[in-house]
Amino acid sequence: MRMLVVTAVPAERDAVTRAFGGEPRIREVPGAELHRAGPFDVLSGGAGPAAAAAATAFALAAAPASAPYSLVFSAGIGGGFAPAAPVGSLVVATGIVAADLGAETPDGFVPVTGLGFGRDTFAPPGDLVRDVAEATGAVRGTVLTVSTVTGSAARTAELLAAHPGAVAEAMEGFGVAEAADRFGVPALELRAVSNTVGPRDREAWRIGDALTALTEAFGKTAPVVESWTRHDRLDRHRD
């Protein structure tokens, strides 16, 4: 029973595979390499929701019909909203939201759903979110997908006003979830916080610490998600 993990960049991919020691086995799929470690196939799909969606879809389509993926992760580092998710913490998404997909109007931003088409939110399985959070100590809350990383106090305030439950932002989660949904596979987003959302201050970022936290998180997450996928598959079989 395999699970797919989609990251933006190779450093995040390697942080995940390090949780399982040794050298990962590598398999080519269209447009990417899958690095197999523990129960996960991990790929670096590129930055942003479009690249993430394309990479996820290719990997899901390339899975053998006899052994489809049972779960898809969007994983990596991201920005945390203070004080809910401080630098160095982990977050697991209760909702994966496309925060800037929509239209600007004289009255403010209108999400794509307000325009009468599409969707802007995916909800990961609640029991799985709970179990992963308990195993890793992660904060639970909405993770926003943005195409432009937030770099000002004004934009931070706008996002929190529109999404009061937001704990973090990143650039790929919604794309991964969109592709997974097309294949009927549940999606989860797990992030390690490298910086605080707000005025851009690269000197304050702690990317190395966040990658270390990501490695530790996947070591703790693996047995939780393996158990969940086994029980979920049994439940669906009974239904």
Side-chain angles (χ1 to χ4, degrees), residues 119-206:
R119 66 186 298 176
D120 62 2
T121 302
F122 289 95
D127 56 342
L128 180 57
V129 170
R130 179 200 65 219
D131 292 349
V132 169
E134 290 177 354
T136 62
V139 176
R140 285 181 272 181
T142 302
V143 177
L144 306 181
T145 299
V146 294
S147 295
T148 301
V149 173
T150 301
S152 70
R155 180 56 178 158
T156 303
E158 290 175 3
L159 289 173
L160 287 174
H163 309 282
V167 295
E169 72 168 25
M171 300 181 73
E172 294 78 35
F174 190 82
V176 172
E178 184 79 79
D181 184 68
R182 302 293 178 97
F183 283 81
V185 182
L188 194 69
E189 185 165 10
L190 179 63
R191 297 277 167 184
V193 176
S194 59
N195 58 281
T196 298
V197 178
R200 194 168 174 82
D201 179 11
R202 287 296 301 268
E203 294 299 318
W205 290 15
R206 297 291 181 266

Side-chain angles (χ1 to χ4, degrees), residues 13-26 35-38:
R13 177 199 64 204
D14 296 344
V16 175
T17 61
R18 272 197 299 274
F20 305 97
E23 290 296 320
R25 288 177 289 161
I26 298 175
H35 288 221
R36 176 163 289 192

